[in-house]
Amino acid sequence: MGNDISNLLSKFGATVDGYLEIEAAIDYKEPARKVKAPLVVAKAEPALAPVPNESTAADPAPVVAASAVVPMLAGSPVSPSQRIEPVIEPVVEPAVAAANVSVPVPAPAAVAPVPPAAKLTPSPSSRIAVAPAQASPAIPAIPADAADTAVATDRPVPSLLRSMLGEAARARQAQQGASNDGPGDQQDAQPPSTPAQVIAVVSPKGGVGKTTLCSALACSLARHGRVFAIDLDPQNALQYHLGVDTQAAAAMTPAGAAASWRDGVAQGMAGTQVVSHALVADNGEVALAQQMAHDGQWLLRQLQAMQLQSGDVVLLDLPAGQTPYLDQALQAADQVLAVVTPDAGSFLALEHMRQVLHGRNNCRYVVNKYDGTRSFNQDMLEVLKRWMGPRLAGVIALDHAISEGLAYGYNPLVKGGDSPAYEQLQRVSEALRAALAKAHAAGGRA
């Protein structure tokens, strides 16, 4: 004993001279240990048939014979929040195994088959010890969330993303290929236009003599070149003011005349060429309104199809007020002529169209049916002059012969000497021609 201690101390550079052995007087006691319940070894039974539609990856716990598991689950039923993990412990000692010690076990209750949809959600706070009947390597447990993800997702996310990106790229390439099919597509991309000068005759309210002035201006401007008067007003009265033979016009209009307005042009007085509203709305007002709502440049396309020349003038007779025709005409017009009368109704209606008309540089006004013998008309004319400023193109005096001439098929404003308003109309016509010439020289609208 002394030699062993001396050899041990010499390894650490010490000697036995300083070594003092003290007898241990401490009584060590082993803590009381609970007697472990004898582990029951179940007899080998045929393996249970696998449950249909179940994946081994989703339920990794090994299957145990019911006779060995039921006694352990009787005292503490497994809740859905518990987690089941196999715990491999040593099998009973060989002597006990050889003696085949058996412990009385109550008869197992009938275990109902587990339906395919029923699954236990493992809980990290509980374990159940299982003694395997045969020695097998431990199977690692798979987290429940990973198993559910694998079942719910048909394809991995990268594959799904690549597939969706491929579809988007093919759609984009097909769209680009359709836009570059031919030179016609590049032409369609250009906004429609016409080389002719377009004048839109509008009014904030009805009954102001708009169509009468439009027909008179068409005859006055026809002395300087070709003039096309197009009736966009559903009343379809422009052809009567211009003396069009409606029966002859209907006979020369081709079937399905919507193909081109040029094919349905009728001859009017003073050499004017008239497109009636019946030709404009050959498919009906409802269909035309839908077409204008769908195509904001419908009118420009129609004018472009007429193949007009740079010296031509187009007058558009529009319905009163703010209508879809007004939106179409304001896009196509080089000049806008608004006709009003010196009364409160016209002024109040004009206020509603202030933002549409007054903010345009190419808009001018004409005061029609002015009666200088009435003091109220005089005061209203002063109000309108202040409101319009330099945009006032002219004042047309009231002449009852103008409205009466329609009954006899003539227009007193076409020929001088028939009406005192003839000279006033000519000044308005010259003001429009000057504005159109100025706009043409500048290469744009006035």
Side-chain angles (χ1 to χ4, degrees):
M1 180 68 180
N3 294 333
D4 295 336
I5 295 175
S6 176
N7 294 334
L8 178 62
L9 292 177
S10 62
K11 292 181 179 180
F12 296 92
T15 61
V16 296
D17 297 336
Y19 175 76
L20 179 62
E21 183 177 274
I22 301 176
E23 183 179 358
I26 301 176
D27 185 14
Y28 293 93
K29 295 183 179 180
E30 293 288 337
R33 303 180 66 179
K34 295 182 180 180
V35 180
K36 295 178 61 176
L39 190 62
V40 179
V41 179
K43 294 182 180 181
E45 296 181 6
L48 297 179
V51 180
N53 299 329
E54 286 294 329
S55 173
T56 57
D59 299 319
V63 180
V64 183
S67 60
V69 177
V70 172
M72 301 178 67
L73 298 178
S76 57
V78 180
S79 64
S81 62
Q82 291 180 330
R83 181 174 180 175
I84 304 175
E85 291 185 2
V87 178
I88 308 301
E89 294 186 354
V91 189
V92 294
E93 298 177 1
V96 179
N100 194 12
V101 178
S102 61
V103 178
V105 178
V111 180
V114 181
K119 293 185 179 180
L120 294 178
T121 304
S123 173
S125 61
S126 62
R127 295 183 179 179
I128 298 178
V130 179
Q134 295 180 357
S136 61
I139 302 175
I142 300 177
D145 54 353
D148 295 339
T149 303
V151 174
T153 305
D154 295 337
R155 290 183 294 175
V157 175
S159 300
L160 179 61
L161 179 58
R162 286 194 298 269
S163 176
M164 297 177 67
L165 286 174
E167 293 177 1
R170 288 191 293 271
R172 173 173 47 81
Q173 294 173 359
Q175 185 177 5
Q176 293 177 354
S179 61
N180 298 327
D181 284 342
D185 297 330
Q186 297 179 359
Q187 296 177 1
D188 294 340
Q190 299 295 331
S193 61
T194 177
Q197 299 292 319
V198 181
I199 302 175
V201 183
V202 303
S203 63
K205 61 182 290 294
V208 299
K210 167 187 58 65
T211 302
T212 302
L213 287 182
C214 182
S215 60
L217 287 173
C219 295
S220 177
L221 294 173
R223 301 172 183 174
H224 307 280
R226 291 198 308 174
V227 174
F228 294 84
I230 301 177
D231 193 356
L232 299 179
D233 193 337
Q235 294 182 1
N236 199 20
L238 184 60
Q239 58 181 345
Y240 303 112
H241 286 273
L242 289 174
V244 175
D245 186 353
T246 55
Q247 295 181 355
M252 64 175 295
T253 301
S260 174
W261 290 356
R262 189 180 183 90
D263 298 335
V265 170
Q267 297 297 322
M269 65 176 60
T272 58
Q273 302 187 51
V274 185
V275 177
S276 67
H277 188 76
L279 180 61
V280 172
D282 63 308
N283 291 328
E285 291 294 331
V286 176
L288 181 58
Q290 294 177 352
Q291 188 174 4
M292 288 189 295
H294 179 71
D295 186 3
Q297 297 179 334
W298 164 81
L299 180 58
L300 272 173
R301 298 184 194 281
Q302 297 297 328
L303 296 177
Q304 185 181 41
M306 293 182 68
Q307 301 178 359
L308 303 175
Q309 301 176 5
S310 59
D312 298 340
V313 176
V314 176
L315 277 92
L316 304 175
D317 184 20
L318 275 75
Q322 291 184 267
T323 63
Y325 293 100
L326 180 62
D327 298 334
Q328 296 275 340
L330 292 180
Q331 293 188 29
D334 297 281
Q335 286 288 306
V336 178
L337 186 66
V339 182
V340 298
T341 51
D343 53 51
S346 288
F347 182 82
L348 296 177
L350 198 59
E351 279 292 319
H352 293 287
M353 300 179 66
R354 174 190 290 268
Q355 295 182 352
V356 179
L357 298 178
H358 206 60
R360 300 178 63 90
N361 295 329
N362 61 349
C363 180
R364 286 168 173 78
Y365 300 92
V366 172
V367 178
N368 192 27
K369 299 182 180 181
Y370 171 68
D371 187 0
T373 63
R374 298 177 59 103
S375 59
F376 180 77
N377 273 195
Q378 296 176 6
D379 295 341
M380 281 300 306
L381 180 59
E382 291 300 322
V383 171
L384 291 173
K385 285 182 178 180
R386 295 178 183 180
W387 192 89
M388 299 172 183
R391 297 174 181 271
L392 180 60
V395 179
I396 307 297
L398 175 64
D399 186 3
H400 295 287
I402 298 175
S403 59
E404 294 171 358
L406 181 62
Y408 299 97
Y410 78 95
N411 191 340
L413 296 177
V414 174
K415 185 170 61 174
D418 293 342
S419 173
Y422 174 79
E423 296 297 333
Q424 299 170 350
L425 179 67
Q426 294 304 313
R427 287 194 289 269
V428 175
S429 176
E430 292 300 324
L432 288 176
R433 289 186 65 247
L436 292 175
K438 181 180 178 180
H440 181 72
R445 295 177 180 176

